Amino acid sequence: MIKDNALLKVSIILFRMILLILGLALLTFTLAHYSPIDPVQAYLGAETHATPEQVAQVEEQWGLNKPMSEQFFHWILSLIKGDFGMSRLYKAPVLDVVSEAFKNSLILMMTSWVLSGIVGYVLGTVAAFRAGKMADKIIKWYCYTLASIPSNVIGLIFLVVFGVILKIFPIGLSSPIGILSQDVTFAQRLHHFVLPCVTLSFLGIANVAMHTREEMLKVLDSEYILFAKARGESTWELFSHHCIRNTIIPVLMLQFSYFSELFGGSALAEIVFAYHGLGSVMTTAGLKGDLPLLLGTIVFSSLFVFFGNFIADIFAKIVDPRIKEAAYE
């Protein structure tokens, strides 16, 4: 019986994931079909004067002369076989291009995710323990300011200050110009990685800090904390014995559910710093009309967000039995 329930749940999750990918792919196909961007003209460039015969030849080669429904089902059948198609811009398999970009984005997002979680939790804890005092007011002002500024604006400020004025970090790209990727050292990659990572980390700090503050204040206002204070426990003992275990899981759930915003912020940061990642590749594919590449980036990004939310759901059911019981009703 337990195995049947587990199998049913896994089947439902897979079904939802397939529906999500199909829905996003269909929406992308429809928008691309009615988009004013001509993929052939975008590929050839404005300066090229191709004859109508040459344009027709390219359209036939890419399958653009076929109905949209036929193109869509052809892409679905290829995807089932594990074939994402060929990128028109990179002239390489979409899977190779997207895998390389996704690896860069994943390192960027995960590092920023961990940093924003740690810094946000520390700031939220300090704000809660110093509620109403100067430290709390400064942290709240800092968080409200960060929450109201888009990540691309923060990225531009960092770019001007640390890249143009102070010249501490490079102004863009994920590796130095003129060096083959296999010859780039770890130190050079790290040097190019710092500014996009810090920019993206700033995006998540405010949410985690304010959420941690609220959860921490609930714990500090509880009766068992009052009892612990009456027993003479110090501030550190209150934090380590009672506050961490009651606040860390809700904060982790918030962090996992934050994956979609993390990907959006990553895309903006990648564009600002010309960082080779999934967001910048997706933007280039959309502007240049490279539909196979655009669909590949959308499949990968949707799977990333889907599994982030899935992990957040698992955490919620583990932590709060009421959610687990509601799922069985």
mmCIF file of all heavy atoms in Angstrom, residues 105-119 193-205 208 255 258 262 266 269:
data_model
loop_
_atom_site.group_PDB
_atom_site.id
_atom_site.type_symbol
_atom_site.label_atom_id
_atom_site.label_comp_id
_atom_site.label_asym_id
_atom_site.label_seq_id
_atom_site.Cartn_x
_atom_site.Cartn_y
_atom_site.Cartn_z
ATOM 1 N N SER A 105 25.755 28.868 -14.937
ATOM 2 C CA SER A 105 24.661 29.499 -14.174
ATOM 3 C C SER A 105 24.442 28.794 -12.848
ATOM 4 O O SER A 105 24.165 29.429 -11.826
ATOM 5 C CB SER A 105 23.361 29.467 -14.983
ATOM 6 O OG SER A 105 23.422 30.343 -16.053
ATOM 7 N N LEU A 106 24.550 27.464 -12.867
ATOM 8 C CA LEU A 106 24.303 26.700 -11.640
ATOM 9 C C LEU A 106 25.340 27.043 -10.567
ATOM 10 O O LEU A 106 24.991 27.219 -9.387
ATOM 11 C CB LEU A 106 24.349 25.201 -11.954
ATOM 12 C CG LEU A 106 23.828 24.268 -10.854
ATOM 13 C CD1 LEU A 106 22.356 24.533 -10.592
ATOM 14 C CD2 LEU A 106 24.039 22.809 -11.237
ATOM 15 N N ILE A 107 26.605 27.157 -10.969
ATOM 16 C CA ILE A 107 27.652 27.547 -10.013
ATOM 17 C C ILE A 107 27.366 28.939 -9.457
ATOM 18 O O ILE A 107 27.464 29.186 -8.257
ATOM 19 C CB ILE A 107 29.032 27.507 -10.695
ATOM 20 C CG1 ILE A 107 29.385 26.069 -11.101
ATOM 21 C CG2 ILE A 107 30.110 28.070 -9.773
ATOM 22 C CD1 ILE A 107 30.623 25.961 -11.955
ATOM 23 N N LEU A 108 26.989 29.858 -10.359
ATOM 24 C CA LEU A 108 26.690 31.228 -9.945
ATOM 25 C C LEU A 108 25.498 31.272 -8.988
ATOM 26 O O LEU A 108 25.544 31.914 -7.926
ATOM 27 C CB LEU A 108 26.410 32.087 -11.188
ATOM 28 C CG LEU A 108 25.984 33.531 -10.950
ATOM 29 C CD1 LEU A 108 27.106 34.321 -10.308
ATOM 30 C CD2 LEU A 108 25.569 34.187 -12.276
ATOM 31 N N MET A 109 24.414 30.574 -9.363
ATOM 32 C CA MET A 109 23.191 30.632 -8.558
ATOM 33 C C MET A 109 23.371 29.936 -7.211
ATOM 34 O O MET A 109 22.916 30.439 -6.176
ATOM 35 C CB MET A 109 22.030 29.997 -9.335
ATOM 36 C CG MET A 109 21.536 30.855 -10.486
ATOM 37 S SD MET A 109 20.020 30.244 -11.245
ATOM 38 C CE MET A 109 20.653 28.815 -12.126
ATOM 39 N N MET A 110 24.033 28.773 -7.204
ATOM 40 C CA MET A 110 24.177 28.039 -5.951
ATOM 41 C C MET A 110 25.100 28.767 -4.965
ATOM 42 O O MET A 110 24.839 28.801 -3.765
ATOM 43 C CB MET A 110 24.706 26.630 -6.237
ATOM 44 C CG MET A 110 23.693 25.711 -6.893
ATOM 45 S SD MET A 110 22.230 25.423 -5.861
ATOM 46 C CE MET A 110 21.065 26.587 -6.544
ATOM 47 N N THR A 111 26.181 29.349 -5.493
ATOM 48 C CA THR A 111 27.074 30.112 -4.612
ATOM 49 C C THR A 111 26.334 31.313 -4.028
ATOM 50 O O THR A 111 26.418 31.589 -2.820
ATOM 51 C CB THR A 111 28.312 30.593 -5.398
ATOM 52 O OG1 THR A 111 28.910 29.479 -6.048
ATOM 53 C CG2 THR A 111 29.324 31.240 -4.475
ATOM 54 N N SER A 112 25.606 32.027 -4.879
ATOM 55 C CA SER A 112 24.839 33.188 -4.415
ATOM 56 C C SER A 112 23.739 32.760 -3.455
ATOM 57 O O SER A 112 23.453 33.458 -2.464
ATOM 58 C CB SER A 112 24.215 33.917 -5.604
ATOM 59 O OG SER A 112 25.171 34.241 -6.563
ATOM 60 N N TRP A 113 23.132 31.616 -3.731
ATOM 61 C CA TRP A 113 22.045 31.095 -2.882
ATOM 62 C C TRP A 113 22.564 30.815 -1.479
ATOM 63 O O TRP A 113 21.931 31.182 -0.473
ATOM 64 C CB TRP A 113 21.507 29.829 -3.534
ATOM 65 C CG TRP A 113 20.308 29.220 -2.888
ATOM 66 C CD1 TRP A 113 19.012 29.649 -2.991
ATOM 67 C CD2 TRP A 113 20.287 28.063 -2.050
ATOM 68 N NE1 TRP A 113 18.187 28.826 -2.279
ATOM 69 C CE2 TRP A 113 18.941 27.848 -1.698
ATOM 70 C CE3 TRP A 113 21.248 27.187 -1.596
ATOM 71 C CZ2 TRP A 113 18.555 26.787 -0.887
ATOM 72 C CZ3 TRP A 113 20.860 26.126 -0.792
ATOM 73 C CH2 TRP A 113 19.534 25.939 -0.451
ATOM 74 N N VAL A 114 23.722 30.181 -1.386
ATOM 75 C CA VAL A 114 24.305 29.868 -0.076
ATOM 76 C C VAL A 114 24.730 31.156 0.645
ATOM 77 O O VAL A 114 24.432 31.338 1.837
ATOM 78 C CB VAL A 114 25.511 28.918 -0.245
ATOM 79 C CG1 VAL A 114 26.246 28.739 1.084
ATOM 80 C CG2 VAL A 114 25.058 27.562 -0.771
ATOM 81 N N LEU A 115 25.393 32.053 -0.079
ATOM 82 C CA LEU A 115 25.853 33.301 0.534
ATOM 83 C C LEU A 115 24.684 34.144 1.047
ATOM 84 O O LEU A 115 24.717 34.646 2.178
ATOM 85 C CB LEU A 115 26.661 34.118 -0.482
ATOM 86 C CG LEU A 115 28.100 33.688 -0.726
ATOM 87 C CD1 LEU A 115 28.721 34.539 -1.821
ATOM 88 C CD2 LEU A 115 28.914 33.802 0.554
ATOM 89 N N SER A 116 23.661 34.290 0.207
ATOM 90 C CA SER A 116 22.512 35.109 0.623
ATOM 91 C C SER A 116 21.800 34.470 1.803
ATOM 92 O O SER A 116 21.305 35.171 2.696
ATOM 93 C CB SER A 116 21.541 35.310 -0.544
ATOM 94 O OG SER A 116 21.008 34.068 -0.955
ATOM 95 N N GLY A 117 21.752 33.129 1.831
ATOM 96 C CA GLY A 117 21.116 32.441 2.952
ATOM 97 C C GLY A 117 21.866 32.672 4.257
ATOM 98 O O GLY A 117 21.257 32.993 5.288
ATOM 99 N N ILE A 118 23.187 32.533 4.219
ATOM 100 C CA ILE A 118 23.990 32.694 5.443
ATOM 101 C C ILE A 118 23.954 34.144 5.930
ATOM 102 O O ILE A 118 23.664 34.424 7.103
ATOM 103 C CB ILE A 118 25.446 32.248 5.185
ATOM 104 C CG1 ILE A 118 25.483 30.742 4.916
ATOM 105 C CG2 ILE A 118 26.336 32.599 6.375
ATOM 106 C CD1 ILE A 118 26.843 30.231 4.490
ATOM 107 N N VAL A 119 24.237 35.085 5.009
ATOM 108 C CA VAL A 119 24.273 36.503 5.399
ATOM 109 C C VAL A 119 22.883 36.972 5.845
ATOM 110 O O VAL A 119 22.737 37.676 6.858
ATOM 111 C CB VAL A 119 24.783 37.376 4.231
ATOM 112 C CG1 VAL A 119 24.726 38.855 4.602
ATOM 113 C CG2 VAL A 119 26.205 36.984 3.870
ATOM 114 N N PHE A 193 34.196 36.016 -11.567
ATOM 115 C CA PHE A 193 32.981 35.460 -10.972
ATOM 116 C C PHE A 193 32.441 36.310 -9.819
ATOM 117 O O PHE A 193 31.238 36.300 -9.538
ATOM 118 C CB PHE A 193 33.320 34.038 -10.469
ATOM 119 C CG PHE A 193 32.206 33.313 -9.803
ATOM 120 C CD1 PHE A 193 31.184 32.732 -10.557
ATOM 121 C CD2 PHE A 193 32.156 33.192 -8.423
ATOM 122 C CE1 PHE A 193 30.151 32.056 -9.942
ATOM 123 C CE2 PHE A 193 31.134 32.520 -7.800
ATOM 124 C CZ PHE A 193 30.133 31.943 -8.565
ATOM 125 N N VAL A 194 33.339 37.078 -9.177
ATOM 126 C CA VAL A 194 32.992 37.741 -7.910
ATOM 127 C C VAL A 194 31.838 38.730 -8.069
ATOM 128 O O VAL A 194 30.833 38.668 -7.336
ATOM 129 C CB VAL A 194 34.234 38.449 -7.325
ATOM 130 C CG1 VAL A 194 33.843 39.317 -6.137
ATOM 131 C CG2 VAL A 194 35.270 37.427 -6.888
ATOM 132 N N LEU A 195 31.952 39.668 -9.009
ATOM 133 C CA LEU A 195 30.923 40.717 -9.133
ATOM 134 C C LEU A 195 29.535 40.163 -9.459
ATOM 135 O O LEU A 195 28.555 40.549 -8.798
ATOM 136 C CB LEU A 195 31.339 41.750 -10.177
ATOM 137 C CG LEU A 195 32.200 42.918 -9.672
ATOM 138 C CD1 LEU A 195 32.382 43.956 -10.769
ATOM 139 C CD2 LEU A 195 31.592 43.569 -8.451
ATOM 140 N N PRO A 196 29.385 39.258 -10.467
ATOM 141 C CA PRO A 196 28.041 38.700 -10.692
ATOM 142 C C PRO A 196 27.508 37.955 -9.479
ATOM 143 O O PRO A 196 26.322 38.036 -9.164
ATOM 144 C CB PRO A 196 28.249 37.730 -11.877
ATOM 145 C CG PRO A 196 29.499 38.162 -12.537
ATOM 146 C CD PRO A 196 30.347 38.786 -11.483
ATOM 147 N N CYS A 197 28.385 37.250 -8.776
ATOM 148 C CA CYS A 197 27.951 36.476 -7.607
ATOM 149 C C CYS A 197 27.486 37.394 -6.479
ATOM 150 O O CYS A 197 26.441 37.159 -5.868
ATOM 151 C CB CYS A 197 29.103 35.584 -7.145
ATOM 152 S SG CYS A 197 28.677 34.564 -5.739
ATOM 153 N N VAL A 198 28.256 38.449 -6.218
ATOM 154 C CA VAL A 198 27.874 39.383 -5.147
ATOM 155 C C VAL A 198 26.567 40.086 -5.503
ATOM 156 O O VAL A 198 25.683 40.268 -4.654
ATOM 157 C CB VAL A 198 29.003 40.408 -4.914
ATOM 158 C CG1 VAL A 198 28.555 41.515 -3.969
ATOM 159 C CG2 VAL A 198 30.235 39.712 -4.344
ATOM 160 N N THR A 199 26.426 40.469 -6.767
ATOM 161 C CA THR A 199 25.184 41.122 -7.209
ATOM 162 C C THR A 199 23.975 40.230 -6.986
ATOM 163 O O THR A 199 22.946 40.659 -6.453
ATOM 164 C CB THR A 199 25.292 41.474 -8.704
ATOM 165 O OG1 THR A 199 26.404 42.338 -8.901
ATOM 166 C CG2 THR A 199 24.030 42.150 -9.190
ATOM 167 N N LEU A 200 24.111 38.973 -7.377
ATOM 168 C CA LEU A 200 22.988 38.045 -7.234
ATOM 169 C C LEU A 200 22.718 37.718 -5.765
ATOM 170 O O LEU A 200 21.559 37.528 -5.371
ATOM 171 C CB LEU A 200 23.292 36.763 -8.019
ATOM 172 C CG LEU A 200 22.138 35.800 -8.227
ATOM 173 C CD1 LEU A 200 20.958 36.503 -8.889
ATOM 174 C CD2 LEU A 200 22.589 34.628 -9.082
ATOM 175 N N SER A 201 23.768 37.672 -4.954
ATOM 176 C CA SER A 201 23.589 37.390 -3.524
ATOM 177 C C SER A 201 22.783 38.497 -2.857
ATOM 178 O O SER A 201 21.933 38.235 -1.998
ATOM 179 C CB SER A 201 24.944 37.275 -2.831
ATOM 180 O OG SER A 201 25.700 36.242 -3.392
ATOM 181 N N PHE A 202 23.067 39.755 -3.248
ATOM 182 C CA PHE A 202 22.354 40.890 -2.658
ATOM 183 C C PHE A 202 20.851 40.791 -2.873
ATOM 184 O O PHE A 202 20.071 41.284 -2.075
ATOM 185 C CB PHE A 202 22.881 42.202 -3.255
ATOM 186 C CG PHE A 202 23.977 42.816 -2.430
ATOM 187 C CD1 PHE A 202 25.164 42.136 -2.215
ATOM 188 C CD2 PHE A 202 23.830 44.059 -1.852
ATOM 189 C CE1 PHE A 202 26.173 42.679 -1.446
ATOM 190 C CE2 PHE A 202 24.837 44.616 -1.077
ATOM 191 C CZ PHE A 202 26.011 43.927 -0.880
ATOM 192 N N LEU A 203 20.469 40.140 -3.994
ATOM 193 C CA LEU A 203 19.043 40.026 -4.318
ATOM 194 C C LEU A 203 18.291 39.223 -3.261
ATOM 195 O O LEU A 203 17.149 39.540 -2.932
ATOM 196 C CB LEU A 203 18.887 39.355 -5.695
ATOM 197 C CG LEU A 203 17.477 39.193 -6.234
ATOM 198 C CD1 LEU A 203 16.878 40.548 -6.555
ATOM 199 C CD2 LEU A 203 17.491 38.310 -7.475
ATOM 200 N N GLY A 204 18.941 38.174 -2.727
ATOM 201 C CA GLY A 204 18.231 37.288 -1.809
ATOM 202 C C GLY A 204 18.402 37.614 -0.343
ATOM 203 O O GLY A 204 17.659 37.084 0.494
ATOM 204 N N ILE A 205 19.363 38.465 -0.014
ATOM 205 C CA ILE A 205 19.650 38.732 1.395
ATOM 206 C C ILE A 205 18.448 39.366 2.103
ATOM 207 O O ILE A 205 18.097 38.976 3.220
ATOM 208 C CB ILE A 205 20.884 39.654 1.516
ATOM 209 C CG1 ILE A 205 22.154 38.862 1.192
ATOM 210 C CG2 ILE A 205 20.996 40.240 2.918
ATOM 211 C CD1 ILE A 205 23.396 39.712 1.164
ATOM 212 N N VAL A 208 15.546 36.844 3.003
ATOM 213 C CA VAL A 208 15.930 35.901 4.061
ATOM 214 C C VAL A 208 16.047 36.632 5.398
ATOM 215 O O VAL A 208 15.590 36.125 6.432
ATOM 216 C CB VAL A 208 17.271 35.220 3.705
ATOM 217 C CG1 VAL A 208 17.708 34.302 4.831
ATOM 218 C CG2 VAL A 208 17.138 34.431 2.417
ATOM 219 N N GLN A 255 14.119 29.648 1.086
ATOM 220 C CA GLN A 255 15.228 29.664 0.138
ATOM 221 C C GLN A 255 14.956 28.738 -1.056
ATOM 222 O O GLN A 255 15.223 29.088 -2.207
ATOM 223 C CB GLN A 255 16.518 29.234 0.832
ATOM 224 C CG GLN A 255 17.264 30.348 1.533
ATOM 225 C CD GLN A 255 17.847 31.362 0.568
ATOM 226 O OE1 GLN A 255 17.146 32.231 0.075
ATOM 227 N NE2 GLN A 255 19.125 31.272 0.319
ATOM 228 N N TYR A 258 12.504 30.046 -3.497
ATOM 229 C CA TYR A 258 12.998 31.283 -4.087
ATOM 230 C C TYR A 258 13.739 31.024 -5.414
ATOM 231 O O TYR A 258 14.244 31.939 -6.049
ATOM 232 C CB TYR A 258 13.914 31.925 -3.035
ATOM 233 C CG TYR A 258 14.845 32.996 -3.456
ATOM 234 C CD1 TYR A 258 14.376 34.244 -3.845
ATOM 235 C CD2 TYR A 258 16.221 32.784 -3.445
ATOM 236 C CE1 TYR A 258 15.272 35.229 -4.218
ATOM 237 C CE2 TYR A 258 17.104 33.756 -3.814
ATOM 238 C CZ TYR A 258 16.621 34.977 -4.198
ATOM 239 O OH TYR A 258 17.498 35.946 -4.570
ATOM 240 N N LEU A 262 15.509 33.492 -8.147
ATOM 241 C CA LEU A 262 16.966 33.358 -8.272
ATOM 242 C C LEU A 262 17.361 33.244 -9.736
ATOM 243 O O LEU A 262 18.329 33.882 -10.183
ATOM 244 C CB LEU A 262 17.432 32.122 -7.499
ATOM 245 C CG LEU A 262 18.935 31.841 -7.485
ATOM 246 C CD1 LEU A 262 19.668 32.910 -6.692
ATOM 247 C CD2 LEU A 262 19.216 30.465 -6.892
ATOM 248 N N SER A 266 19.496 35.871 -11.812
ATOM 249 C CA SER A 266 20.722 35.391 -12.466
ATOM 250 C C SER A 266 20.758 35.835 -13.932
ATOM 251 O O SER A 266 21.811 36.244 -14.437
ATOM 252 C CB SER A 266 20.783 33.866 -12.371
ATOM 253 O OG SER A 266 21.823 33.366 -13.153
ATOM 254 N N ALA A 269 21.690 39.513 -14.008
ATOM 255 C CA ALA A 269 23.110 39.698 -13.670
ATOM 256 C C ALA A 269 24.012 39.233 -14.814
ATOM 257 O O ALA A 269 25.030 39.871 -15.117
ATOM 258 C CB ALA A 269 23.433 38.935 -12.389
#
